[in-house]
Amino acid sequence: MLKVGVLGAGHLGKIHLRLLQQSDKYELVGFYDENQENAERISKEFGYKNFSTIAKLIHAVDVIDIVTPTLSHYKCAKVAIKSGKHIFIEKPIANTVDEAEEIIALAAEYSVKGQVGHVERFNPAFIATKNMIENPMFIETHRLAEFNPRGTDVPVVLDLMIHDIDAILSVVHSKVKDIHASGVSVISETPDIANARIEFENGCVANLTASRISMKNMRKTRFFQKDAYISVDFLEKKCEVVRMKDAPEIPGDFDMILQNAEGVKKQIYFTNPDVEQNNAILDELESFANAINTNTTPVVTLEQATDALRVAYQIIDCFDK
């Protein structure tokens, strides 16, 4: 079991603490939170060991789980890496692309592994369909959330849309060619709603919408590719695959047949792949333990998270044009 410590005991930090304590891959040593009043309360309520300094916690563990505000990700990662500790960082990897690239360089220099918490990669609906997503040419995502003051310190692109950016980059194996985007600040100092159109060199186009001022929650992505349409509901953890194949010579009474203008007939098949329910946060944390123990590449690498952050900032830059 790897000894792990958590930096940050806010809303998400408390979830990480609970799951790490349950895990049979890790031994939870304790945590550090700069708000010592909050730290003492959590320690008293749940029994986790509260360390008085970051340095003391880092010294006592093999892995540091960074669940602090984004602004401090780089500082925390730098200290942990220079102490030779593996790092798990909540998304986004850092506040700037330059910081993210330095984290990558430091991890390589000190021979430690890093993984970033792009948790939707572990969403069971995405896992159930990912192998079916082959060369998508149009992707549409909607990630809508009811207003929550937590997270409004950053634009909605870094808060919500980055989940979909990362998922899209993981299935589109092509470089970004062009980006157009617009964002509107409604209640926050930074944009609360944004739309982006990402064009890839292979011709794929992704249209992303994210909002944190919606009346209802929605997290849906649709992938369109030759002879198939794949719908993933990240919120409800459901998926649907619609495929088209050449129609049989003699269709059955209940077969759905489409015929185009050229007279080509296709049969439509609907399938709902089995979705194995899981705890995505626990799975991502344990997958990192497996990567460390087997010396393999983490599922979400520091480089991939940096690519997602770079695209996110290209989208944000469009807002000022």
Side-chain angles (χ1 to χ4, degrees):
M1 292 174 74
L2 294 163
K3 292 183 177 180
V4 64
V6 177
L7 293 182
H11 173 76
L12 192 54
K14 286 191 285 188
I15 294 172
H16 279 228
L17 283 164
R18 175 173 55 81
L19 294 173
L20 287 167
Q21 191 174 50
Q22 293 174 6
S23 173
D24 58 6
K25 306 272 186 188
Y26 292 101
E27 176 192 338
L28 177 62
V29 172
F31 74 101
Y32 170 81
D33 190 281
E34 66 177 8
N35 182 336
Q36 278 300 300
E37 188 178 324
N38 179 54
E40 287 170 12
R41 184 172 63 250
I42 290 169
S43 179
K44 188 175 180 180
E45 184 176 351
F46 300 103
Y48 312 130
K49 184 176 180 181
N50 170 27
F51 282 74
S52 58
T53 68
I54 289 178
K56 286 180 180 176
L57 176 63
I58 289 174
H59 182 71
V61 300
D62 308 307
V63 181
I64 285 290
D65 180 11
I66 300 169
V67 204
T68 60
T70 304
L71 286 170
S72 63
H73 283 187
Y74 167 71
K75 179 182 70 176
C76 294
K78 186 176 180 180
V79 174
I81 292 169
K82 286 190 170 184
S83 299
K85 310 301 180 180
H86 303 292
I87 55 164
F88 184 97
I89 314 177
E90 254 313 313
K91 65 86 196 164
I93 179 175
N95 191 46
T96 68
V97 173
D98 286 346
E99 287 179 354
E101 288 178 340
E102 190 166 342
I103 290 172
I104 292 170
L106 284 168
E109 181 183 347
Y110 287 86
S111 299
V112 301
K113 291 190 180 294
Q115 182 167 321
V116 180
H118 282 286
V119 71
E120 294 291 36
R121 294 271 206 107
F122 295 83
N123 188 297
F126 187 54
I127 291 170
T129 54
K130 191 172 181 185
N131 289 340
M132 303 175 192
I133 302 170
E134 300 170 354
N135 196 32
M137 295 310 291
F138 181 68
I139 302 169
E140 188 158 41
T141 75
H142 288 88
R143 186 168 293 262
L144 315 178
E146 296 174 2
F147 184 74
N148 183 341
R150 188 172 55 82
T152 55
D153 55 325
V154 295
V156 70
V157 176
L158 294 178
D159 183 27
L160 298 180
M161 189 183 282
I162 197 165
H163 283 294
D164 299 311
I165 295 169
D166 172 71
I168 288 168
L169 293 181
S170 75
V171 296
V172 179
H173 306 298
S174 177
K175 291 182 179 179
V176 173
K177 178 183 175 184
D178 200 11
I179 293 175
H180 302 277
S182 59
V184 180
S185 302
V186 179
I187 195 169
S188 312
E189 293 298 314
T190 58
D192 295 301
I193 185 166
N195 176 262
R197 176 186 169 91
I198 304 173
E199 298 174 12
F200 294 88
E201 289 182 356
N202 69 349
C204 177
V205 172
N207 187 37
L208 297 83
T209 300
S211 169
R212 58 186 175 203
I213 50 166
S214 296
M215 300 302 288
K216 64 176 183 177
N217 294 323
M218 177 191 289
R219 303 205 301 262
K220 287 184 178 179
T221 300
R222 291 174 288 179
F223 302 89
F224 297 85
Q225 60 197 41
K226 184 169 178 58
D227 292 335
Y229 155 75
I230 298 162
S231 174
V232 179
D233 189 327
F234 289 92
L235 183 62
E236 299 294 335
K237 298 179 174 57
K238 296 177 182 175
C239 53
E240 182 180 54
V241 178
V242 181
R243 292 193 182 279
M244 283 189 278
K245 298 179 182 177
D246 291 336
E249 288 284 331
I250 304 172
D253 291 341
F254 300 103
D255 290 348
M256 289 190 66
I257 308 294
L258 289 181
Q259 181 174 326
N260 65 15
E262 288 74 35
V264 177
K265 293 181 180 180
K266 296 280 186 177
Q267 182 174 356
I268 301 175
Y269 298 83
F270 293 88
T271 57
N272 295 94
D274 290 333
V275 176
E276 295 185 16
Q277 297 304 318
N278 68 343
N279 186 308
I281 296 176
L282 178 61
D283 280 4
E284 68 177 352
L285 290 165
E286 292 194 336
S287 79
F288 186 47
N290 291 336
I292 294 168
N293 288 328
T294 59
N295 193 26
T296 52
T297 303
V299 175
V300 184
T301 65
L302 301 175
E303 289 82 2
Q304 290 170 339
T306 301
D307 289 341
L309 185 66
R310 186 178 290 108
V311 171
Y313 270 113
Q314 287 175 299
I315 290 169
I316 291 168
D317 288 344
C318 290
F319 298 163
D320 300 324
K321 293 178 182 177

